[in-house]
Amino acid sequence: MSVTSVERSFRILHAVAEEPQSLSALARRLNLATSTAARFLQSLHAAGAVSRDADGRYCIGPSIFELAGGPTGRHDLAAIASTHLSALARRTGETAGIVAAIDNDILHLAQVSDDDDAGVQVKDWSGAQIPAHPGCTGLVVMAHWPQSQIDSYLAKPLEAFSDSTVVDPRVIRERLDEIRRTGHLWTTDEYAVGVTSVASPVFDRHDRVIGALHAFGPSYRFPDPNDKGVIADELCARAVQISGVLGHVGSLSIGASDVA
């Protein structure tokens, strides 16, 4: 490969690392012929250096994360999930978010609300770090912890964040089993009163749970009972797709089909 080819490859990687790019947008940005950009992207994709998101745009691929020598960074997870958040927000008419697993806590990385919703919206939780037990995002992560970590966590007194927070270790273990069977969990009022949420876990290339994708909104209107199953299926499918971009090859028991 010539020096020029190497330089172009790195320019492409820098561009898609900043934000996902379509072929035409990338060609314009880098002043490349579309055919040239397509040829480079094809080679980078074959090497796992770039992947394609739910909208068909190019983003950083799993081999780059592997070369970095560690698990996917929080910024990377938020960037990879961005198009899925927008799509889920539009689909539900509410809010979608992505969280990262931080030891025994959950860190809210980013959330996107439906632009067409001019009514009541939920709080922006971006940047908030909370324990794993009081909501579905933490519980879907906890379900895939090593058993020793689960036992250690549940052996300690658990804080109730609302009257609906589940703090009984026996009940929590039953819910973790449910998550492993279905790939998702719904909760209402358990962390924030008046908010209903559904979450599904996200995994990295080593089959480690690194976060969760979720959709949520005011409990009086979300979810539509007739739409609940469809929303859960789509959420799970998108969590699988995000995990796939990170190099994970497994699937969840629900929602593993492709979503446009």
Side-chain angles (χ1 to χ4, degrees):
M1 181 179 288
S2 68
V3 173
T4 301
S5 296
V6 172
E7 290 174 345
R8 284 180 174 173
S9 295
F10 271 93
R11 288 173 61 203
I12 289 172
L13 291 173
H14 277 293
V16 299
E18 290 179 8
E19 61 177 328
Q21 303 272 334
S22 68
L23 170 59
S24 57
L26 190 62
R28 288 194 302 270
R29 175 172 177 170
L30 300 181
N31 195 27
L32 296 172
T34 302
S35 59
T36 300
R39 186 172 67 253
F40 275 88
L41 286 167
Q42 183 177 14
S43 297
L44 291 168
H45 189 272
V50 299
S51 296
R52 302 189 74 174
D53 65 17
D55 292 334
R57 299 182 302 176
Y58 291 91
C59 55
I60 288 295
S63 66
I64 298 299
F65 298 132
E66 188 168 356
L67 285 172
T72 303
R74 300 169 198 169
H75 174 76
D76 299 320
L77 181 57
I80 291 168
S82 63
T83 56
H84 295 278
L85 298 184
S86 297
L88 278 173
R90 290 193 302 269
R91 172 65 183 82
T92 62
E94 298 292 349
T95 303
I98 187 77
V99 306
I102 309 294
D103 296 324
N104 289 342
D105 292 347
I106 299 301
L107 175 65
H108 289 260
L109 298 179
Q111 68 183 57
V112 174
S113 296
D114 179 35
D115 291 337
D116 294 333
D117 180 16
V120 176
Q121 292 188 347
V122 295
K123 174 182 176 180
D124 187 347
W125 298 103
S126 301
Q129 185 166 336
I130 65 173
H133 70 276
C136 60
T137 52
L139 290 170
V140 299
V141 167
M142 189 191 299
H144 300 280
W145 283 353
Q147 190 60 50
S148 59
Q149 186 177 358
I150 295 174
D151 293 342
S152 176
Y153 187 95
L154 296 181
K156 301 173 184 178
L158 303 179
E159 179 182 357
F161 288 79
S162 76
D163 291 341
S164 298
T165 305
V166 177
V167 295
D168 183 335
R170 179 186 59 82
V171 177
I172 291 176
R173 290 181 190 277
E174 292 175 353
R175 300 179 92 184
L176 300 183
D177 287 339
E178 175 190 350
I179 292 164
R180 296 183 195 109
R181 289 194 306 269
T182 67
H184 72 282
L185 181 71
W186 288 89
T187 54
T188 298
D189 299 342
E190 296 190 26
Y191 179 70
V193 175
V195 175
T196 292
S197 180
V198 59
S200 186
V202 172
F203 300 89
D204 68 8
R205 65 190 181 278
H206 300 298
D207 202 31
R208 295 177 300 207
V209 62
I210 62 167
L213 182 68
H214 64 131
F216 55 108
S219 299
Y220 74 87
R221 71 185 187 202
F222 178 76
D224 181 329
N226 296 323
D227 222 13
K228 189 174 182 179
V230 175
I231 290 171
D233 283 356
E234 179 165 344
L235 179 86
C236 289
R238 291 188 180 279
V240 168
Q241 289 184 350
I242 292 170
S243 300
V245 171
L246 299 174
H248 186 255
V249 297
S251 63
L252 300 177
S253 58
I254 279 187
S257 58
D258 288 340
V259 175

